[in-house]
Amino acid sequence: TSVLGLVAPGGHLHSITGDSSGNLWISDQHQGLFHLLGGSMVDRIPWAKLGRKDWATALFAGPEPGGLWLGFSQGGVAYFKDGKVRESYAAVDGLGEGIVTRLTLDSEGTLWAATEGGLSRVKNGRVATLSSQNGLPCDTIFWMMTDEAHSFWLYMACGLVHIAGAEMNAWVTDPKRTVQNTVFDSSDGVRSRALTTGYTPLVAKTANGKLWFLPLDGVSVIDPRHLPVNQLPPPVHIERVTADRKTYWQNLSGDASASQPRLPPLVRDLKIDYTALSFVAPEKVRFRYKLEGQDPDWKEVVNEREAQYSNLAPGNYRFRVTACNNNGVWNEAGTFLDFSIAPAYYQTTWFRVSCLAAFLGVLWVLYRVRIREVRRQERKLRDVIETMPTFAWTALPDGSLDFVNRHWQEYTGLSLERTVGSGWQEAAHPEDLARNVEKWGASLATGQPFEDEVRYRRAADGQYRWFLSRGVPLRDHRGRILKWYGISTDIEDRKRAEEDREKLRTDLAHVNRVSILGELAASVSHELKQPIAAAMTDAKTCMRWLKREQPNVEEALQAISRIVKDGTRATEIIARLRSLYKKSPPQRELVEVNEIVREMLVLLRGEANRYSISMRTELTPDLPKITADRVQLQQVFVNLMLNSIEAMKDTAGELTIKTELALGDQLLISVTDTGVGLPNEQTEEIFNAFFTTKPQGSGMGLSISRSIVESHGGRLWAADNSPRGARLCFTLPTQSEIRHSS
């Protein structure tokens, strides 16, 4: 009484269970889980401590002392021991959904849980649930138990369900199979009523194995050992076939297998009525039917006596149906009905063959049209290639020619047979052939596009003309070269234009040099006047030494030596002026850049002194020699140095010439001044022809200088000289770089 006083007041009890060790567990909806031992309360555990917002509706003592299985009102089960939840399972793990109404453990330690979603089995952490998808008449289970024959009894919303032990063992082995069961309801003398969710009926099993049920309004008893069994399989009968609401066949004789009704084409809705003769609980008769050729497996229904199909294809069909009585005894033979659906005209074989033939005919016509179009395009493309005013050719992956157009044959006089392979070399100029073959072999080896200039002999007059040959490879999806396609274009006129342009550039350079000499006339005359005046003075001195009564030969010889030195200096100045003045073709030779710089300093010293400009050099010693035209490089230095002097003639300043070895084995030369500098927008414009910032400038100096530097393989550009002035830089390749590039 004292214990009940602690638990019951104000509470709502749901379940109670105990074990052999004297532990008693009571579930209260509001106060939590009570643990009693020896009649005294040990602990009260709130549901929140178990991590739950609901409460336990079913309890069952676990196999270990102090262990407890709990089933909850919102679904899920958990194993509780030593104050902690050790295991838990929910719907996501495969447990039946909804409230858990009953828990029990079998002799093997397997947990069985009755839920709203079916009968769940938990074993070794794996969960399987038996539901209406496996053959149960419904899902909600209020109570369960096993009898002495290990059969399962389930009190469900749709009645009392009996599952034989062998059927349940088979389901445990294969949880996807359908379970055969027997449903007992009021027609069998079992009083039952639809119960609300959460209600647990009162059920008891007596010592003699009988099951006593206490529904809401009476008492029911059933003896599992003496169940009434109907051993008579029900005979199956197909009654009629209806297509699109019209009856096409009706069985009056009872023998369906002897008839083969033929239905009209385009049947949309087909209904087959069947039945089974059973006078014992006919509402519990179950059927299985299958339409061969349409249904992949048997369909099982309860107390339904028609099968419906829609939009069946034309052909022959067999409908089979079997039935079982209320105790699961099946009529395995059943019955069947053979019928056919006639095809529409467009579903017949002859129509399909005709359509296929017509389709093939259309394909053939389209194929012929396409072939004709391809051939027309091929002729058109061939006409284009053959009439091109240039050579068109193709080559195999190994480089041997396999096609040349008509223009090649007419120009060289070589037929296609003489040209294919390497026969084309017969028309190439001997001086160009080795270089051309080497470049062609390099392209074949690397797969890079081919380009080279070569001369070919014209058959009409035997003259050679320049051609630019270009070829590109055709590759497959794996990058493998399938073929080479190329053209050779006549560039004779372009080559002549280049020669004329080079000649014109040389003439302009000479004019520029002559113009420079005009600007330097006063300075050069001053440079020449000094050694000439000195020579005259030394000559007079020499005469005085010789006119003495005792001539001083030694002093006279020294004067003569100075005369020779001054004459040599004047000769060098005249020679440099003459080299700048004379018009001669470019001549490349090994030169030292530092030596040219020193020569230009001597030539322009007078001009710089004229405007109080100091000239300074930063020459890196032991620079490698370069292959260049000395006169052209002198002209570049004169142009750049005169521009710097012009920029400083009003303010004086300093002119610096610097030489060094840059990255890539190139010489870097810079001419720097401290003049007015260059606007940013004119750093490139000053190299354009006829552009000048000087009042009387021709605008050709820097343009010619850039042309000379680029013809030597270098680059010329302008840059600012912080904090004031301008800096003009250019690069020239050394001998090692020239050998590397070649």
Side-chain angles (χ1 to χ4, degrees), residues 51-67:
R52 305 289 303 196
K53 295 181 180 181
D54 54 350
W55 59 91
T57 53
L59 302 176
F60 195 87
E64 302 175 356

Side-chain angles (χ1 to χ4, degrees), residues 649-676:
K649 69 179 183 179
D650 295 332
T651 60
E654 183 181 71
L655 187 150
T656 304
I657 302 176
K658 182 179 180 181
T659 61
E660 58 183 318
L661 188 63
L663 295 177
D665 291 334
Q666 285 194 336
L667 295 185
L668 175 62
I669 302 98
S670 62
V671 178
T672 307
D673 63 64
T674 58
V676 295

